[in-house]
Amino acid sequence: MRSDTVTKGMQQAPHRSLFNALGYTEEERQRPLVGIVCSYNEIVPGHMNLDKIANAVKMGVAMAGGTPIMFPAIAVCDGIAMGHVGMKYSLVTRDLIADSTEAMAMAHQFDALVMIPNCDKNVPGLLMAAARINVPTVFVSGGPMLAGRVKGCKTSLSSMFEAVGSYAAGTMTLDDVTEFEEKACPTCGSCSGMYTANSMNCLTEVLGMGLGGNGTIPAVYSERIRLAKHAGMKVMELWEKNIRPRDIMTEKAIINALTVDMALGCSTNSMLHLPAIAHEIGMDFDITFANEISAKTPNLCHLAPAGHTYMEDLNEAGGVYAVMKELTKKDLLYTDCMTVTGKTVGENIANAVNRNPEVIRPLENPYSETGGLAVLTGNLAPHGGVVKRSAVVEEMMVHEGPARVFDCEEDAIDAIKGGKIVAGDVVVIRYEGPKGGPGMREMLNPTSAIAGMGLGSSVALITDGRFSGASRGASIGHVSPEAAVGGPIALVEEGDIIKINIPENKIELAVSDEVLAERKANWVPRAPKITTGYLARYASLVTSGNRGAVLEIPR
């Protein structure tokens, strides 16, 4: 066993004395040591229940003959961090989570791991760590929140943010906003739509790293506790069979995840996290390759914010496995991939049933013949920009309008709420990329303000930052290269015409090459916004959004 390094032999007598100090018996030391990586905290609604999940996992591990040992991982609530300096610290935690988990697992020589994430960066951060550490590992998330109910209709956090914009537009009263505030987020769990947390927990199932139901069983259901016990038992089976994360997270598994991503209509943030996970297994993930997958993958689900169904509805309809089963009708998945169940994808989904064709459209009746995400390229985004196509209204699929240019999110929000943005405009928010932010802030506040002001079907937004999974509309993020490194988005001037064609995957700045070259020659790099601490170190190492904002050692 790997843990023999710290539990057996004369040289390990000091190590054993420290295990004695922890209260572990000789019998416990003789068993496989299983690290339980728990991201419980009291500030993230999706994590406040993870102590119960961890206890269930520990029981499962012990029942199956292992010794469970818990240690923590951090997690940020993107909703609470939204719209202020805190959002600079959101994406950057993904790498802190991966690095700190790697450090703990390697320093203490665990034989196996169970990862307990839930919200946005926690899931990909732990998947990245799992690929690095490569000991038998199972994921079990904390589960999604139940939808809120306002005036008899289901709702979620995205409606809450849009309510603020509606209040600014005078179409909603203070009492209306207060009712949303009290009812939009009724339980613990990751926010109830197909936002980033739920996207990544669903894709963890597809990658083969989580058991069936990992992405969809609501946080408050006792079924989630039973799932956690089974995860603890299952990791011992993986240890016995020596099935490891890199046996499961293969290139085929990554392609499966991207395919189901298109069918589900996942958050655009998946186009940051899948490349980063792929990077950890040595796969070169060019985001423009997503268009090839999208071209042949129908969009089968319109969960919030794209539609009016929620994670609880997807769960009742058959969950992720039912979506995958639909896709196999056109042989769109690699069904021979190994998973943490000890079975292949094909074996896992063999008996899956689509119980609600209104929530999961059958392959014969999709929302669209192409997938939920698109990567746009052109002279404004030579290395690509990402849009959640499934959340764009039909009239904005092709759009042309004047650029309204802002060098930070706050200035854009002031203009939107101040009535300075009008139908037809293309809002450009730059210097918010991985380096320029630093930290690539999410733009849920401006997209929600645009929707709340009644401009969602007439105004586009383009940024080298990114969007929350709760964003909807013609919102194009991850524009690469970013402004901070002199990408073309840095050269846009007020009033320039920008042309967007989502069906053709194009985004163009209607300015000649000669004028752009002249602007580039006169462009002056901006001084870093932050020069000390973790954000400064992050900015010095991070790559552009098209590469997943991974960290690389300067050569």
Side-chain angles (χ1 to χ4, degrees), residues 393-472:
V393 295
E394 186 61 34
E395 53 266 43
M396 289 299 291
M397 297 296 280
V398 177
H399 181 76
E400 179 177 323
R404 305 298 308 280
V405 183
F406 304 93
D407 287 349
C408 68
E409 176 188 4
E410 290 82 359
D411 290 350
I413 292 171
D414 288 345
I416 295 165
K417 290 186 176 179
K420 297 176 182 178
I421 302 301
V422 299
D425 284 348
V426 179
V427 176
V428 177
I429 305 177
R430 62 192 182 190
Y431 294 101
E432 291 284 9
K435 284 185 181 293
M440 204 177 186
R441 288 194 287 181
E442 287 185 341
M443 302 292 160
L444 179 56
N445 275 350
T447 59
S448 298
I450 287 170
M453 296 288 285
L455 297 170
S457 60
S458 60
V459 168
L461 193 156
I462 296 171
T463 181
D464 52 7
R466 62 195 179 94
F467 295 107
S468 163
S471 292
R472 61 188 177 99

Side-chain angles (χ1 to χ4, degrees), residues 49 161 207 229 251 271 320 326 329 394 464 527 533 535-536:
N49 64 319
F161 275 90
L207 284 168
K229 291 176 182 176
E251 290 194 15
M271 294 301 293
V320 175
E326 289 288 345
K329 292 178 181 177
E394 186 61 34
D464 52 7
L535 287 181

Side-chain angles (χ1 to χ4, degrees), residues 163-377:
V164 176
S166 297
Y167 178 76
T171 58
M172 192 173 277
T173 67
L174 179 59
D175 286 344
D176 291 332
V177 175
T178 301
E179 184 176 9
F180 268 95
E181 184 178 331
E182 291 175 349
K183 298 179 178 179
C185 300
T187 70
C188 63
S190 47
C191 295
S192 57
M194 189 53 79
Y195 310 145
T196 306
N198 292 326
S199 295
M200 294 309 302
N201 282 321
C202 287
L203 296 184
T204 298
E205 273 191 63
V206 184
L207 284 168
M209 292 299 294
L211 301 177
N214 178 69
T216 60
I217 298 170
V220 294
Y221 284 13
S222 296
E223 185 182 359
R224 174 67 55 180
I225 300 295
R226 297 198 300 272
L227 183 76
K229 291 176 182 176
H230 283 129
M233 290 185 271
K234 188 59 66 174
V235 80
M236 295 308 300
E237 182 181 319
L238 295 180
W239 175 77
E240 290 168 0
K241 295 179 178 178
N242 196 29
I243 298 174
R244 304 182 182 209
R246 286 185 215 158
D247 300 322
I248 295 170
M249 288 193 286
T250 61
E251 290 194 15
K252 285 183 177 180
I254 296 285
I255 293 170
N256 278 351
L258 184 55
T259 301
V260 178
D261 186 328
M262 296 297 174
L264 284 171
C266 289
S267 163
T268 52
N269 281 314
S270 63
M271 294 301 293
L272 279 175
H273 301 322
L274 286 177
I277 296 163
H279 179 75
E280 296 293 343
I281 66 167
M283 177 183 177
D284 184 16
F285 189 117
D286 180 350
I287 64 167
T288 58
F289 135 85
N291 289 333
E292 298 176 29
I293 302 294
S294 181
K296 60 184 180 182
T297 307
N299 177 225
L300 305 181
C301 298
H302 265 194
L303 283 83
H308 300 289
T309 53
Y310 297 84
M311 295 305 296
E312 63 199 66
D313 302 311
L314 179 60
N315 186 62
E316 293 300 319
V320 175
Y321 279 8
V323 176
M324 295 172 73
K325 185 69 174 290
E326 289 288 345
L327 294 175
T328 60
K329 292 178 181 177
K330 285 179 63 176
D331 295 324
L332 292 174
L333 296 178
Y334 292 105
T335 57
D336 59 341
C337 294
M338 179 53 62
T339 73
V340 293
T341 66
K343 300 177 181 179
T344 65
V345 166
E347 291 171 317
N348 286 343
I349 67 175
N351 297 319
V353 176
N354 182 354
R355 300 188 184 93
N356 190 336
E358 297 302 314
V359 176
I360 304 171
R361 289 278 187 93
L363 203 71
E364 302 79 22
N365 181 34
Y367 282 102
S368 67
E369 294 292 341
T370 52
L373 298 180
V375 177
L376 312 186
T377 55

Side-chain angles (χ1 to χ4, degrees), residues 487-503:
I489 192 172
L491 311 178
V492 181
E493 295 184 358
E494 187 81 8
D496 285 348
I497 298 300
I498 293 176
K499 300 179 179 181
I500 301 165
N501 191 319
I502 295 173

